[in-house]
Amino acid sequence: MSELFVRTLREDPADAEVPSHRWLVRAGYIRRVAPGIYSWLPLGLKVLHKVEQIVREEMDAMGAQEVRFPALLPREPYEATDRWTEYGPNLLRLQDRKGVDMLLGPTHEEMFTLMVKDLYSSYKDLPLSLYQIQTKYRDEARPRAGLLRGREFVMKDSYSFDVDDAGLQEAYDRHRVAYQRIFDRLGLEYVIVSATSGAMGGSASEEFLAVADIGEDTFVRSPGGYAANVEAVKRPLAPEQDASDAPAAHVEDTPDSPTIETLVALSNERFARADRPWTAADTLKNVLFMLKHPDGTRTPVAIGLPGDREVDGKRLEAAVEPAEVEGFGDADFEAWPQLAKGYIGPGSQNGGSLGLDADGKGVRYLTDPAVVPGTRWITGANAPGQHVYDLVCGRDFTSDGVLDVAEIREGDPAPDGSGPLTLARGIEMGHIFQLGRKYAEALGLKVLDPNGKLVTVTMGSYGVGVSRAVAAVAEATCDDKGLAWPRNLAPYDVHVVATGKDAAALEFATELARQLDEAGISVLLDDRKASPGVKFADAEILGMPNSIVVGRTLADGVVEVRDRASGEKTEVGVDVVANHVIHLVRG
Ligand code: ATP
Ligand code: MG
């Protein structure tokens, strides 16, 4: 340690929001260069390499072959698949000295597709899976939590190439198993959830989420085995109702009722219904927003949903991708004067079109799966201070389509009928997609089939967040004293701490380190001239699985072996300590 390039810090970094970020910086594993951009110091790099090695071994074992592409890429292939535009502001674009557009790769579907197209031409060449462990760039809007969401990060990305759907399914299944092995070996508690495929396109896709309260993803589970990212939960349409005896829609003055709560209270007071009180679920809330498309154009959209539910921002973002969601501002209200702020509704009472309709000129009106023909609603009458009652879907208004972006709540039924949902949070560690033929089609990757006919190749795309995994493991294992690595990821197997001014302690510690080293155990030896307190604190921050304290007790013929995770301390005789530690490390 007297020579190791490391400094532990006594203070938390100002931008640290989560424990793993705080400890990785304080323990001298990583250093921030700019928001979302980090340097790796010797200890951190050792952990990164160990994670990489686990990923590499499992990818090799499933038959994928390692390659490496550059990060700096030409624009044209991404133009051909539309991603130059569709990827939006997350894509780091730049120009070379000749003014030629280039990018720093956020993911490499295009490049792998072209590489295979270059070299392969027959069904006999397939199946094929290729992977790389490489640095990716995404200009994330909110880089966060150190390595967890970086703008530069290390990803393992792999791609499978097959002639038919059965082949793709097999490649997907093999990746799924390899990922289970990877995350098992990383010691992460994880769930596999159905996912949306986001900017990638394609169909079947699942995510591997490390269960963690600080995670940015919310997922749901049911007792019957349903598991999905909330973004991917598809609520079924509610059953249609018979509204043949519903009264005609009637507009009422509803002063001072700008919120759902006040509207429900006023409705129960003045327009009480016979069978039961009105609730928020009887009201139809209409939320306006703007969609900003990758080409820069903006279109207004309204979503109608029961008043007891909020729009879930992340579900909305995922549903409209690659468009982005923007608020409906005052200028937008000026441009759409038929929309009465706070009293918007889909009906056509009060004389004429309200703009929420499918005539191609109005605001697109999309509705929650609970809004089905025959359902009766209280909603805005498109005039300040007025609401309309008994407005029946299918009779008094129609929807331009379903948009299922309402929040999912604890206790909601699982879409497949497998019981009530519980919610938890996780960190997305890996993602597997069946891309299908989108990229092969766009870039012309075809091979001859057994009948001599050209067929488009079908592809899968699979990613593991390698640098994110370092942080996720740190997050799962650290405590209030520092990092606490599992054995297979720790930078060193043991930390030998020589304490006291006595030369004998340092001598014994150095000899023990040498013996362990000889036995293939990697040792970090604290040979510094520092106080025992400083050394113990550092050993806890740095987080090797075991430390051996050589000091005061040496005169009695014992040293102390500490277990970082449990805090347990054991006195071990000096003559047996080397063997003791070798057994500990080898398990
Ligand atoms: P997220 O939803 O977290 O933004 P993503 O779905 O955009 O991730 P993918 O395109 O599926 O990410 O990338 C594959 C893997 O790369 C992810 O599962 C994740 O582990 C990792 N990853 C993605 N973005 C980042 C990032 N900004 N920093 C670190 N790792 C990342
Ligand atoms: Mg993903």
Side-chain angles (χ1 to χ4, degrees):
M1 277 202 65
S2 60
E3 289 161 26
L4 183 66
F5 186 58
V6 66
R7 277 284 173 280
T8 56
L9 309 176
R10 298 295 146 209
E11 301 289 329
D12 287 340
D15 60 342
E17 299 161 52
V18 305
S20 59
H21 180 198
R22 177 189 321 145
W23 290 121
L24 286 168
V25 172
R26 280 187 54 181
Y29 280 59
I30 58 170
R31 288 298 288 170
R32 196 186 87 129
V33 171
I37 305 179
Y38 288 83
S39 302
W40 295 86
L41 277 61
L43 292 174
L45 198 55
K46 279 180 187 284
V47 181
L48 179 67
H49 285 156
K50 290 189 177 191
V51 174
E52 283 182 10
Q53 192 51 28
I54 287 173
V55 173
R56 183 172 282 122
E57 284 170 14
E58 295 302 337
M59 294 312 295
D60 289 344
M62 66 143 277
Q65 300 173 59
E66 186 168 5
V67 297
R68 184 161 323 161
F69 281 81
L72 182 62
L73 301 171
R75 166 177 170 158
E76 288 71 22
Y78 286 77
E79 192 71 67
T81 58
D82 261 359
R83 285 213 293 187
W84 178 262
T85 317
E86 279 188 6
Y87 221 97
N90 260 24
L91 189 68
L92 269 158
R93 301 167 171 86
L94 67 162
Q95 291 190 331
D96 70 9
R97 65 201 294 158
K98 299 196 193 86
V100 174
D101 281 327
M102 308 201 72
L103 64 119
L104 294 174
T107 167
H108 280 64
E109 281 72 12
E110 286 81 352
M111 305 315 296
F112 278 78
T113 308
L114 287 173
M115 170 90 95
V116 174
K117 180 185 172 184
D118 251 3
L119 299 174
Y120 275 6
S121 56
S122 162
Y123 74 96
K124 289 181 203 150
D125 297 326
L126 305 182
L128 173 70
S129 284
L130 299 173
Y131 78 97
Q132 62 175 345
I133 297 175
Q134 189 249 14
T135 304
K136 297 279 186 274
Y137 296 85
R138 295 183 186 178
D139 197 1
E140 300 277 356
R142 290 174 291 274
R144 179 179 168 266
L147 303 173
L148 281 177
R149 181 170 299 285
R151 295 196 295 161
E152 177 183 290
F153 58 97
V154 181
M155 194 201 289
K156 183 288 298 176
D157 48 329
S158 45
Y159 307 87
S160 65
F161 301 87
D162 283 278
V163 264
D164 54 25
D165 295 349
L168 170 57
Q169 185 63 46
E170 203 183 305
Y172 182 90
D173 292 343
R174 279 192 301 130
H175 269 89
R176 198 174 191 272
V177 172
Y179 276 32
Q180 287 172 297
R181 296 180 57 94
I182 289 169
F183 297 120
D184 284 342
R185 287 180 67 181
L186 292 178
L188 289 168
E189 183 200 348
Y190 66 94
V191 288
I192 305 176
V193 300
S194 311
T196 53
S197 32
M200 311 289 283
S203 49
S205 115
E206 288 169 294
E207 285 168 354
F208 291 70
L209 303 182
V211 180
D213 291 339
I214 57 101
E216 287 183 89
D217 286 80
T218 305
F219 67 94
V220 295
R221 276 189 277 204
S222 78
Y226 176 85
N229 193 307
V230 278
E231 294 171 10
V233 175
K234 293 247 180 312
R235 289 154 60 229
L237 283 179
E240 293 189 11
Q241 311 270 306
D242 175 16
S244 49
D245 59 350
H250 46 107
V251 174
E252 304 288 354
D253 283 327
T254 52
D256 304 324
S257 51
T259 65
I260 298 288
E261 213 172 53
T262 50
L263 176 63
V264 170
L266 176 132
S267 299
N268 279 321
E269 211 172 280
R270 306 229 337 249
F271 313 104
R273 53 187 285 173
D275 51 343
R276 60 170 177 84
W278 297 109
T279 70
D282 296 311
T283 68
L284 180 64
K285 174 161 73 180
N286 298 290
V287 181
L288 288 161
F289 54 89
M290 282 299 216
L291 282 188
K292 186 170 170 207
H293 302 282
D295 65 5
T297 57
R298 291 168 92 240
T299 49
V301 177
I303 155 104
L305 73 166
D308 64 336
R309 298 251 169 189
E310 300 296 329
V311 171
D312 179 324
K314 288 192 79 174
R315 274 167 56 77
L316 176 58
E317 276 172 28
V320 302
E321 227 180 356
E324 284 180 64
V325 179
E326 290 183 352
F328 200 85
D330 289 342
D332 297 317
F333 274 105
E334 269 169 41
W336 298 89
Q338 67 272 54
L339 301 173
K341 195 173 177 174
Y343 297 90
I344 294 154
S348 57
Q349 64 291 333
N350 278 358
S353 165
L354 305 159
L356 299 187
D357 58 27
D359 65 7
K361 284 172 264 153
V363 175
R364 273 190 86 202
Y365 186 56
L366 303 174
T367 46
D368 184 83
V371 184
V372 292
T375 51
R376 276 159 72 175
W377 303 97
I378 307 174
T379 191
N382 296 299
Q386 292 193 327
H387 282 89
V388 57
Y389 288 72
D390 296 310
L391 193 76
V392 175
C393 178
R395 182 188 76 179
D396 303 320
F397 71 98
T398 55
S399 152
D400 295 334
V402 175
L403 184 61
D404 181 17
V405 295
E407 61 183 326
I408 304 294
R409 286 195 298 229
E410 193 88 20
D412 280 352
D416 66 353
S418 61
L421 296 175
T422 50
L423 274 77
R425 296 183 78 90
I427 303 167
E428 184 186 321
M429 301 308 309
H431 198 164
I432 53 179
F433 299 90
Q434 295 194 15
L435 282 180
R437 298 184 172 79
K438 176 180 162 171
Y439 289 85
E441 234 148 51
L443 296 163
L445 171 58
K446 293 181 183 176
V447 293
L448 288 171
D449 75 2
N451 307 315
K453 207 175 101 232
L454 273 179
V455 293
T456 303
V457 169
T458 183
M459 292 170 55
S461 148
Y462 318 87
V464 171
V466 174
S467 49
R468 180 178 281 186
V470 173
V473 173
E475 188 68 37
T477 52
C478 72
D479 58 21
D480 58 354
K481 299 192 185 75
L483 299 167
W485 296 106
R487 286 202 191 286
N488 61 340
L489 297 180
Y492 293 94
D493 296 320
V494 291
H495 194 153
V496 175
V497 181
T499 65
K501 296 198 177 66
D502 187 355
L506 182 58
E507 246 164 56
F508 182 87
T510 308
E511 173 56 19
L512 177 61
R514 196 195 58 74
Q515 277 176 31
L516 291 172
D517 197 60
E518 220 159 60
I521 308 289
S522 61
V523 184
L524 180 60
L525 172 65
D526 196 344
D527 55 348
R528 296 173 302 171
K529 290 187 174 52
S531 75
V534 165
K535 291 186 174 185
F536 295 155
D538 277 353
E540 280 176 327
I541 292 181
L542 296 180
M544 301 321 135
N546 291 106
S547 55
I548 307 167
V549 180
V550 182
R552 254 184 323 106
T553 58
L554 196 59
D556 311 325
V558 292
V559 295
E560 192 178 88
V561 177
R562 296 184 178 181
D563 183 275
R564 175 63 186 86
S566 69
E568 203 183 313
K569 299 173 183 176
T570 322
E571 295 209 322
V572 181
V574 289
D575 45 342
V576 294
V577 65
N579 271 330
H580 178 88
V581 171
I582 290 167
H583 282 295
L584 273 184
V585 173
R586 296 203 181 136

